[in-house]
Amino acid sequence: MRTDLITLRPEGLYCAAGDFHIDPWRPVARAVITHAHSDHARTGHAAYLASREGERVLRARLGDIALQTLDYGERLRIGDATVSLHPAGHVLGSAQVRVEVEGEVWVASGDYKLEADGTCSAFEPVRAHTFISESTFGLPVYRWRPQAELLAELNRWWAANADAGRSSVVFAYAFGKAQRILAGLDTRIGAVICHGAVEAMNRAYRDSGVALPATRAVSEGLDADLLRRALVIAPPSAQGSPWMKRFGDYADCFASGWMQVRGARRRRAVDRGLVMSDHADWPALMRAIGETGAQRVIVTHGQVAPMVRWLNEQGLEAGAFRTEFGDERDDADSALQTATGDADAPPA
């Protein structure tokens, strides 16, 4: 088994056989991008390769870039390597990067989750000799409830607030989490209002063919009666900002996998925590790794040391790459990450 098909360089993960990097954090000549979150997709590269599904969200975030796209499963020869992209189920356009050289297969998964959410292509297991996995929630304590249950709970909370004449505000990351929530809302309860950062990503999703319910903007001059029954989706950065004052006495909720951590809701100072993540929980991480058939696993950002130790105890050859992933600055809540003791983890 080769140990050098993908290596760690100062710029990021590097494949010498194809002379390209995967999600590099420093400018490079050719970057293969797993998804459009800003810790994985950065400006400054000469050329980009990403999934066709993610083209619009990637351009919405990075602007006018030299971008080549592939359909999921389509193969491309780059130097001595054959590259293909496969659904990661994380957010719209997210992909696992399969790299094959002389029969040896490595898969760099980026960020992923296994539960299908209806707003992006569902995760697809890919067989590999070596699997590079995230470990954001790589501890047994992290176990998610089904999305349908969570969204039903959210709709009941919204309806109760609407009946009491209070706006409902959900703080959720603008790219990915916000669209999952939006797609599952019961819009018979009231109007849905989105912060501008969320609406920008909504447009990219709609332009990509994802069906989302109608949303409103505060700039439309919404009346007080409508606001009292409305649900508002805003990024965490909006919490406590002047933008929130127009909603008066509102109830609020923070949607994140970190809400499972004891005391996280109190630290966020919100009425309710919704334990919802765009990353795999512990059982899903173990299932994903098992379905690859890989005997070697390289762990990246998150709960790296505990997961490496566990995998080695299970008889796999496990190690780690120290990456710069996990810093989604436009949405990140560094205070909460510090409180959980995991400053290296990305937002949930």
Side-chain angles (χ1 to χ4, degrees), residues 203-231:
R203 285 194 296 272
Y205 269 64
R206 291 183 177 112
D207 289 346
S208 301
V210 179
L212 297 175
T215 54
R216 307 282 293 271
V218 173
S219 60
E220 296 178 28
L222 308 175
D223 63 57
D225 288 339
L226 183 144
L227 289 176
R228 279 192 288 268
R229 294 195 64 86
L231 183 134

Side-chain angles (χ1 to χ4, degrees), residues 17-18 22 67 69 77 145 200 222 261 342 347:
I22 300 173
L67 175 62
T69 61
R77 187 78 173 181
R145 291 164 54 201
L222 308 175
V261 178
D342 188 13

Side-chain angles (χ1 to χ4, degrees), residues 163-184:
D163 290 345
R166 301 177 75 195
S167 299
S168 299
V169 177
V170 179
F171 295 110
Y173 300 112
F175 172 32
K177 185 77 58 61
Q179 290 73 40
R180 284 179 69 190
I181 291 171
L182 181 57

Side-chain angles (χ1 to χ4, degrees), residues 185-344:
L185 293 178
D186 181 356
T187 55
R188 296 171 297 180
I189 298 169
V192 180
I193 299 169
C194 288
H195 185 279
V198 174
E199 191 58 29
M201 298 315 300
N202 291 346
R203 285 194 296 272
Y205 269 64
R206 291 183 177 112
D207 289 346
S208 301
V210 179
L212 297 175
T215 54
R216 307 282 293 271
V218 173
S219 60
E220 296 178 28
L222 308 175
D223 63 57
D225 288 339
L226 183 144
L227 289 176
R228 279 192 288 268
R229 294 195 64 86
L231 183 134
V232 181
I233 303 178
S237 58
Q239 188 176 17
S241 71
W243 189 84
M244 298 300 306
K245 293 181 179 178
R246 67 201 74 199
F247 303 111
D249 179 28
Y250 57 82
D252 55 9
C253 169
F254 189 84
S256 170
W258 297 118
M259 290 295 104
Q260 189 163 317
V261 178
R262 188 181 301 275
R265 189 181 74 181
R266 173 177 50 80
R267 286 190 289 272
R268 285 296 325 189
V270 291
D271 300 318
R272 191 178 190 91
L274 184 71
V275 183
M276 175 183 279
S277 178
D278 292 333
H279 296 261
D281 63 2
W282 175 260
L285 287 167
M286 295 303 106
R287 178 182 155 196
I289 290 169
E291 289 181 344
T292 68
Q295 291 302 302
R296 184 169 186 242
V297 180
I298 300 174
V299 180
T300 63
H301 55 298
Q303 306 288 349
V304 175
M307 192 158 144
V308 168
R309 183 168 57 250
W310 170 263
L311 292 172
N312 280 320
E313 289 172 354
Q314 306 315 300
L316 297 177
E317 179 187 347
F321 280 156
R322 185 172 182 82
T323 69
E324 295 188 17
F325 305 141
D327 192 10
E328 175 69 2
R329 290 188 182 277
D330 53 347
D331 284 333
D333 176 17
S334 58
L336 181 56
Q337 292 176 16
T338 300
T340 64
D342 188 13
D344 196 35

Side-chain angles (χ1 to χ4, degrees), residues 66-79:
L67 175 62
Q68 178 182 2
T69 61
L70 292 178
D71 288 325
Y72 288 129
E74 181 182 355
R75 295 194 173 196
L76 177 67
R77 187 78 173 181
I78 306 177

